[in-house]
Amino acid sequence: MDGSRKISVSPRPCSGRRVLAKKRGIGGIDNKFVNSVNKLHRREICSKRHRAFTVTDAQDRFRNIRLQEEYDTHDPKGHCSMVLPFLRKRSKIIEIVAARDIVFALAQSGVCAAFNRETNQRICFLNVTPDEVIRSLFYNKNNDSLITVSAYASDNFSSLKCRSTRIEYIRRGKPDAGFALFESESLKWPGFVEFDDVNGKVLTYSAQDSPGIMLLIFTKASSHVPLKILSIEDGTVLKSFNHLLHRNKKVRNFELTEVSRTEFMTPSAFIFLYENQLFLTFRNRTVAVWNFRGELVTSFEDHLLWHPDCNTNNIYITSDQDLIISYCKADSDDHLSEGIAGSINISNILTGKCLAKIKASNSFSSECSCSGNFSGCCNKSNKHMHSSRIRSTAAEALEDITALFYDEERNEIYTGNRHGLVHVWSN
């Protein structure tokens, strides 16, 4: 859980793989200029902005956020006449991805729908054949395309197939205009494909082609580490090469830092925050931040996760790695929730402070009467007002959220629930 997503071969639907940590470079700043003007310039465009400014900015961004739209991924007729029966059934949303003005929602059944945020219409389904079950989504920002990882009934769902489709084609309603990826790979069990968004890499494991080998790592030389790949069957050297070392980069020395069990309980999952060289850990619905010395850096206030199994589909970490947005337990004094609806909490990762919260008692849809704290609620100039087809109340939309995504460019939160509905939370 360090910024990449691994999808293994299995007929069972995937779960728990929503972590987005996009690396944002500073770009074009020469560190040798240290005068005051350049210091201010760096501070304003650097990914690690001033903490006080970040907190104020986050509070303003989420202050008046409310339920704006509702999309439905379910089509009882199916996306084509020959669709598999279970693809016609309503099922929960397990993954949400947004790319520019399009929202993609993947249901546990394997159906994936694309919605246009400008028109609020469903554009198309991404399933291009009647027996395609989509397992996961990945937005490739390098060429503005969506990669789908699918299994098919034609081979008993025993292998994974990847397809890349330009966002522009999807916007035109042509999801079949994509092309296959990794066709030379046999991604059968226990094979897998893993997407590394941070480094822009894809790792595939072809189980049929790769067994029976081992890697030998020899003693470090002055400028490199000798490596050999051997066949386990007969010891034949299949490949021999040197891994070059950089003089100014340290090599890990396998030093073990042991922390007392009373101070650091083994987490059920963790995320490496490369921007800050820290670890975000999850245990018993709680979140904490630790450094490499095993010292607690941050404890989060008012941030008790709703799901006990740490489903990372319900967690989003911003590209600056300064905010965490999670689906949490609502306040005990929130009478509108009545123990059923949770809340969407936005917290600062470095301080643990809860900056904003979306809950039933302070969130109203765009169709509400102008009550509460949102004086602009019934502004008829809202471009989404006339096309809104919201059937759920804010409390209903906050019930049993199964997927969450934050669009940083549009400043919108998208949530999906067990009914296959997607809700848009926006200013």
Side-chain angles (χ1 to χ4, degrees), residues 10 33 128 143 159 179 198 211 247 279 300 323 338 340 345 372 386 394 419:
S10 170
F33 297 108
V128 297
N143 65 356
S159 62
F179 58 90
V198 175
R247 180 172 298 178
F279 285 96
F300 288 83
L323 299 178
E338 296 181 352
I340 300 176
N345 291 23
H386 301 292
H419 301 296

Side-chain angles (χ1 to χ4, degrees), residues 145-336:
S145 66
L146 186 78
I147 298 176
T148 52
V149 182
S150 305
Y152 295 83
S154 56
D155 69 347
N156 200 28
F157 307 108
S158 62
S159 62
L160 297 175
K161 303 292 183 183
C162 300
R163 184 175 68 251
S164 176
T165 310
R166 293 293 298 269
I167 297 297
E168 185 57 37
Y169 292 142
I170 297 173
R171 185 179 287 109
R172 297 176 191 170
K174 298 179 179 180
D176 55 349
F179 58 90
L181 298 174
F182 321 127
E183 291 185 281
S184 62
E185 299 294 299
S186 178
L187 301 176
K188 294 181 179 292
W189 177 263
F192 62 81
V193 56
E194 183 169 358
F195 297 95
D196 183 351
D197 189 31
V198 175
N199 299 300
K201 305 292 183 183
V202 180
L203 175 67
T204 62
Y205 171 48
S206 181
Q208 286 189 336
D209 302 332
S210 302
I213 63 173
M214 62 180 174
L215 174 67
L216 296 183
I217 304 175
F218 294 88
T219 303
K220 178 173 71 78
S222 58
S223 60
H224 66 274
V225 175
L227 304 171
K228 287 185 179 181
I229 298 178
L230 274 64
S231 168
I232 295 178
E233 187 70 26
D234 56 10
T236 303
V237 177
L238 303 177
K239 188 174 182 62
S240 179
F241 55 97
N242 295 326
H243 179 71
L244 298 178
L245 301 176
H246 298 278
R247 180 172 298 178
N248 296 328
K249 291 186 176 181
K250 294 182 179 180
V251 178
R252 294 175 182 173
N253 57 8
F254 299 99
E255 179 181 348
L256 179 66
T257 300
E258 188 171 345
V259 184
S260 171
R261 291 184 179 180
T262 58
E263 297 178 11
F264 183 84
M265 301 293 288
T266 304
S268 59
F270 70 90
I271 298 172
F272 175 51
L273 304 174
Y274 54 86
E275 288 280 4
N276 302 306
Q277 295 295 298
L278 299 170
F279 285 96
L280 196 67
T281 63
F282 304 88
R283 178 182 170 83
N284 296 335
R285 288 196 170 106
T286 61
V287 188
V289 179
W290 305 78
N291 60 25
F292 280 102
R293 296 183 297 275
E295 299 168 340
L296 180 64
V297 176
T298 306
S299 293
F300 288 83
E301 65 177 24
D302 194 15
H303 205 104
L304 186 66
L305 300 178
W306 179 274
H307 295 282
D309 61 350
C310 182
N311 187 341
T312 52
N313 281 350
N314 293 305
I315 297 169
Y316 186 96
I317 297 173
T318 56
S319 57
D320 288 337
Q321 297 186 351
D322 56 346
L323 299 178
I324 179 173
I325 304 173
S326 310
Y327 181 49
C328 297
K329 287 282 188 180
D331 296 336
S332 58
D333 58 350
D334 190 352
H335 303 296
L336 290 180

Side-chain angles (χ1 to χ4, degrees), residues 93-104:
I93 304 298
I94 62 170
E95 191 168 353
I96 299 175
V97 172
R100 301 187 183 275
D101 58 349
I102 301 179
V103 179
F104 300 94

Side-chain angles (χ1 to χ4, degrees), residues 304-408:
L304 186 66
L305 300 178
W306 179 274
H307 295 282
D309 61 350
C310 182
N311 187 341
T312 52
N313 281 350
N314 293 305
I315 297 169
Y316 186 96
I317 297 173
T318 56
S319 57
D320 288 337
Q321 297 186 351
D322 56 346
L323 299 178
I324 179 173
I325 304 173
S326 310
Y327 181 49
C328 297
K329 287 282 188 180
D331 296 336
S332 58
D333 58 350
D334 190 352
H335 303 296
L336 290 180
S337 298
E338 296 181 352
I340 300 176
S343 64
I344 301 171
N345 291 23
I346 300 96
S347 299
N348 186 289
I349 289 178
L350 295 180
T351 67
K353 180 178 177 58
C354 184
L355 305 178
K357 181 182 295 190
I358 303 171
K359 55 184 181 178
S361 60
N362 69 357
S363 298
F364 302 91
S365 72
S366 58
E367 297 178 339
C368 70
S369 59
C370 292
S371 59
N373 299 323
F374 309 113
S375 58
C377 175
C378 294
N379 184 357
K380 297 301 181 182
S381 64
N382 189 324
K383 64 181 178 180
H384 302 303
M385 179 70 70
H386 301 292
S387 59
S388 177
R389 43 183 62 84
I390 301 175
R391 293 173 293 175
S392 306
T393 64
E396 291 170 338
L398 290 168
E399 290 180 10
D400 198 14
I401 288 176
T402 55
L404 181 150
F405 185 91
Y406 174 53
D407 189 327
E408 299 186 45

